Amino acid sequence: SNYLRHACVAAVFGQTLFAHGAVDARTAGYVPDDSTRFCLPAAPQAGRMVDSVSEWVDALNGLLERGLADHAARPEWDAERATRGGEVLLALQNRDAMWGRSIVSNSYADGGCITTESAARVREAALADAEARADPSAFAAVASDPLDAGVAAWLLRGGIRRVVVGHKPSGDCAAVLSASHTGVEIVSADTCYADPRAADRRGASVSHVLLRGGSLEEMQTELFGTLATGARHRALLPVLRRPSPAPWRSLLQCLAAAAGGRREEEPDPLVGRRLPDGRWVKARVLPAEGQAEARYLCCSGSGRRVEHSYLGAGECRRLMGEV
């Protein structure tokens, strides 16, 4: 509990929202009631919806504080072993207890990608099954939809243009949704099963997610590290700015870069985008010795089945109809 006293359920820095699990149609704006039980409910437990991202984040973190205080006041089970202090926090991280609305354990990622068509079919069937049979365990099969336009619009209204999460493993590098799809960039960066063949489940892989920039309002994501194969990868995603930045500001940034004798690095336009055949461009793999150009790691799959392929930048653009 000492660790949790310094933690947050969700946090916002500038235009970036951090949470452990997915911000989706079921979790966005939802705040569980303090009376929520850690159980298998026959129907959704009490909760409320809030309008704004900031109000939602504050409410979730307030729930954490009250749950910890409740646990400190009554840490043991009651005489009937029916309840104990802080039970709402046990429920918060459990999809069954939350009726599929856990901001801690709802998750993106399927088949090593940020999402797949297979995940969409399974999600639709599982949600229908949960409602038809009043069975909260059906939510375990649901992978959240990062392409949900309604959720993206809600985040954008709250000033959020990037969401960084973890929880569900996505392979040996982060699974990414480019902001070009919905206006919101999503980075799902759990790599705890980067190499299932290695004793430590990570092997040679090292994965970094770095947010860099001159201010919290104009950051860009840098993804870099080493894949399980030992190949190095690096991509700098586009800067996420407020809509219609003032022209004079962009001019001053260019002048400042020129005065410093440096050239602004061009962001990568491909990582985090979906190809027409369903593959996702997942990482920009740096040239190995004897290679002239970087290649792109493309990923497709379903569940724990992951398929990899490599394409050049020109081939990716050709498939996207951009050349």
Side-chain angles (χ1 to χ4, degrees):
S1 62
N2 288 334
Y3 175 83
L4 291 176
R5 288 192 184 96
H6 298 280
C8 296
V9 178
V12 172
F13 293 88
Q15 298 185 83
T16 303
L17 169 65
F18 293 87
H20 186 77
V23 183
D24 60 25
R26 299 186 71 83
T27 60
Y30 179 73
V31 183
D33 191 80
D34 288 31
S35 65
T36 301
R37 301 293 308 280
F38 182 46
C39 64
L40 289 174
Q45 300 193 69
R48 61 190 175 95
M49 298 298 296
V50 298
D51 292 332
S52 71
V53 175
S54 59
E55 185 182 359
W56 177 61
V57 169
D58 288 345
L60 289 175
N61 291 331
L63 181 71
L64 173 61
E65 292 179 6
R66 294 191 302 277
L68 290 173
D70 186 29
H71 178 263
R74 47 190 194 101
E76 306 297 334
W77 291 99
D78 62 10
E80 292 77 27
R81 290 193 62 81
T83 187
R84 64 187 296 185
E87 188 174 0
V88 63
L89 301 183
L90 294 174
L92 183 65
Q93 54 78 48
N94 183 270
R95 284 201 248 192
D96 294 1
M98 294 300 301
W99 203 261
R101 285 181 152 178
S102 173
I103 187 57
V104 179
S105 58
N106 282 27
S107 54
Y108 307 113
D110 180 66
C113 311
I114 192 67
T115 191
T116 63
E117 292 182 0
S118 173
R121 291 192 295 270
V122 171
R123 178 172 57 250
E124 183 177 358
L127 291 175
D129 191 40
E131 299 300 334
R133 296 192 295 114
D135 180 10
S137 66
F139 293 110
V142 175
S144 301
D145 184 8
L147 293 165
D148 190 310
V151 174
W154 181 74
L155 290 166
L156 290 168
R157 285 196 301 273
I160 301 299
R161 302 202 65 195
R162 179 187 295 106
V163 175
V164 180
V165 303
H167 184 65
K168 189 175 182 180
S170 60
D172 54 359
C173 61
V176 181
L177 178 79
S178 166
S180 63
H181 286 279
T182 67
V184 177
E185 176 184 291
I186 296 178
V187 180
S188 182
D190 185 326
T191 58
C192 64
Y193 283 88
D195 186 354
R197 297 165 299 180
D200 63 356
R201 300 293 187 264
R202 293 187 183 274
S205 68
V206 179
S207 185
H208 300 264
V209 177
L210 175 66
L211 303 184
R212 48 181 276 191
S215 74
L216 290 175
E217 300 302 327
E218 293 194 358
M219 305 289 286
Q220 61 187 143
T221 303
E222 182 179 0
L223 305 167
F224 63 100
T226 304
L227 301 175
T229 60
R232 294 181 301 119
H233 69 94
R234 179 179 181 273
L236 187 64
L237 304 188
V239 176
L240 301 182
R241 295 188 174 94
R242 299 288 184 190
S244 304
W248 60 265
R249 187 169 188 180
S250 299
L251 175 61
L252 288 178
Q253 288 173 333
C254 293
L255 291 174
R262 62 183 175 87
R263 183 176 179 180
E264 291 293 321
E265 181 179 353
E266 288 293 326
D268 189 279
L270 298 174
V271 170
R273 294 177 64 186
R274 183 167 58 184
L275 299 173
D277 60 11
R279 287 179 292 176
W280 286 87
V281 182
K282 193 174 183 186
R284 176 178 171 270
V285 182
L286 301 178
E289 185 175 354
Q291 294 179 334
E293 297 182 351
R295 298 178 302 158
Y296 285 87
L297 171 64
C298 299
C299 187
S300 61
S302 176
R304 296 184 179 181
R305 178 181 60 83
V306 182
E307 298 176 2
H308 289 151
S309 56
Y310 292 87
L311 296 175
E315 181 66 7
C316 289
R317 292 191 177 95
R318 186 188 69 79
L319 290 171
M320 293 176 182
E322 296 179 355
V323 293

